[in-house]
Amino acid sequence: MAAPYAFVTLISSDSYLPGALALAAALKDVHLSPAVAPEVDFQTVCLVTPETVDVSTIKRLRDVFDVVIGVEAILGQDEAGLALL
């Protein structure tokens, strides 16, 4: 049965891989599994935009995250605002 809570992150570029791997490792280091009260069980979830992320990156994410889900990229009309991201 899936845990009722999750830490979720989004990867829309291969350049985000190091940060996502660090996040997953840090969560697993800090939180024991199975959880000891007052902590709760959780899953690590990574949302990925397959159109903009390499297959090798997705495979690596599947090695460390509990769940990897492909999502569609949201294309914005505000290029200046997107450039700030």
Side-chain angles (χ1 to χ4, degrees), residues 28-60:
K28 290 179 182 182
D29 283 347
V30 172
H31 298 281
L32 300 175
S33 183
V36 177
E39 294 184 357
V40 296
D41 285 324
F42 65 89
Q43 290 184 309
T44 54
V45 179
C46 186
L47 305 178
V48 179
T49 53
E51 302 88 7
T52 60
V53 176
D54 190 66
V55 173
S56 63
T57 297
I58 295 171
K59 287 181 180 179
R60 183 67 183 113

Side-chain angles (χ1 to χ4, degrees), residues 3-78:
Y5 301 98
F7 286 93
V8 182
T9 190
L10 169 68
I11 303 296
S12 58
S13 167
D14 294 326
S15 62
Y16 290 114
L17 179 61
L21 297 177
L23 171 65
L27 288 171
K28 290 179 182 182
D29 283 347
V30 172
H31 298 281
L32 300 175
S33 183
V36 177
E39 294 184 357
V40 296
D41 285 324
F42 65 89
Q43 290 184 309
T44 54
V45 179
C46 186
L47 305 178
V48 179
T49 53
E51 302 88 7
T52 60
V53 176
D54 190 66
V55 173
S56 63
T57 297
I58 295 171
K59 287 181 180 179
R60 183 67 183 113
L61 292 168
R62 286 185 176 146
D63 289 339
V64 297
F65 281 86
D66 297 319
V67 180
V68 177
I69 301 171
V71 296
E72 290 185 37
I74 298 174
L75 302 176
Q77 302 298 321
D78 181 12

